[in-house]
Amino acid sequence: MENSIPAEGQIGKRTISLTASWAFFGFSIVINSMGNVLTLVTSSHIHPQFLGSAYWTAAENNLGLAVLGDNSMTLFWAFMVLGMLTSVLNAILMHKWDWKRIGGNFIFMLPFSVFIQWFSNIFNKIMPNAYGLPMIILYVLVNFLGVALIGTAISIYQRANLVLHPADDLFQIIRFRYCHGNATVAMWLSYIPPTIMAIIAAVMQGGLYNFGLGTLFALAFQGAITGWADKHIFPKLTHQALDVGN
């Protein structure tokens, strides 16, 4: 079965069971959180620091630090508040207010945050600081692997389409409503909100953190990786019950 893409605004049918959909979602949220943590840990453990984390992660972290300062709850509130503001943007782009969809965005964040913390605890313990050239090269490759895991995970849970992270929901709306299914262009357009966040943070705190080579890699290739995964990772999984507005 080919990975079909519904026409603009079309509400597709669910062709797999809810059990299978939740299984795909569960697998994808694990590798998504793992990928995000790999970008964060390699960025913080490499010396000198030049890698950076995934684009949304870096932008939200910077704005959170700029507004709330560096404390134990900064990331939680930054990701939660900015995520829900992105849900509002999604509703505007879809031309309708969908409480079920917004609730799904909120539900996504709960297990995602748990896995982020869990993987962070594990990788921070087992991954030493990198100083020499061999370790630096290894960490660069691991950072890129993290970006690839994020792009692949986005592909899987967008196709399963149960609940989405608001940023990925934004990407999917832009992709199918405005970009005729083009994942690469849609990913670049979906980076406009975090770019605005980063600019505001830079003005407020006089600089940016967690932006670097890995961030540029994500900006350039994460959308293309998602498009590639659509065709090659679980290729029989089509976009389920897709709704990007009228």
Side-chain angles (χ1 to χ4, degrees):
M1 186 190 315
E2 293 183 357
N3 184 27
S4 60
I5 298 176
E8 179 180 322
Q10 178 180 342
I11 301 177
K13 296 181 179 180
R14 188 165 292 279
T15 58
I16 61 175
S17 68
L18 283 177
T19 300
S21 296
W22 281 113
F24 281 121
F25 170 77
F27 174 71
S28 63
I29 200 171
V30 169
I31 65 172
N32 188 15
S33 54
M34 181 186 295
N36 272 282
V37 170
L38 285 176
T39 67
L40 287 169
V41 173
T42 52
S43 176
S44 63
H45 285 213
I46 201 169
H47 299 280
Q49 294 188 8
F50 65 88
L51 267 179
S53 58
Y55 201 73
W56 274 90
T57 305
E60 290 176 327
N61 180 42
N62 273 275
L63 190 53
L65 290 172
V67 174
L68 302 173
D70 189 4
N71 62 71
S72 59
M73 296 298 291
T74 294
L75 281 181
F76 172 81
W77 286 113
F79 278 70
M80 185 63 68
V81 173
L82 294 173
M84 297 317 295
L85 287 176
T86 305
S87 291
V88 174
L89 173 61
N90 294 344
I92 293 172
L93 291 175
M94 287 182 60
H95 304 160
K96 67 178 180 180
W97 191 263
D98 188 340
W99 283 110
K100 181 179 179 181
R101 190 169 193 145
I102 293 173
N105 292 159
F106 179 80
I107 291 171
F108 180 99
M109 298 181 190
L110 299 180
F112 180 70
S113 299
V114 171
F115 281 123
I116 286 284
Q117 187 61 60
W118 186 61
F119 282 122
S120 179
N121 292 339
I122 292 174
F123 290 134
N124 273 308
K125 288 181 180 179
I126 66 175
M127 295 177 67
N129 289 331
Y131 296 98
L133 183 60
M135 283 293 291
I136 289 176
I137 293 175
L138 175 62
Y139 275 25
V140 170
L141 295 176
V142 172
N143 188 283
F144 290 177
L145 173 63
V147 173
L149 289 175
I150 295 169
T152 300
I154 291 172
S155 165
I156 297 170
Y157 62 66
Q158 281 188 345
R159 283 179 284 158
N161 199 30
L162 292 169
V163 293
L164 298 173
H165 188 287
D168 299 322
D169 203 9
L170 172 65
F171 165 63
Q172 179 155 280
I173 292 167
I174 293 174
R175 179 181 180 184
F176 292 111
R177 185 177 176 86
Y178 299 100
C179 295
H180 308 289
N182 189 308
T184 301
V185 174
M187 183 64 72
W188 289 339
L189 291 176
S190 73
Y191 281 151
I192 293 175
T195 300
I196 295 173
M197 295 177 196
I199 292 171
I200 295 172
V203 172
M204 293 181 65
Q205 63 187 0
L208 292 173
Y209 307 98
N210 290 322
F211 280 90
L213 179 62
T215 313
L216 294 176
F217 180 83
L219 178 61
F221 297 110
Q222 186 173 305
I225 292 170
T226 297
W228 177 88
D230 282 352
K231 298 178 180 179
H232 300 284
I233 306 298
F234 304 125
K236 294 184 178 180
L237 175 63
T238 60
H239 286 85
Q240 302 294 301
L242 184 66
D243 180 11
V244 292
N246 298 320

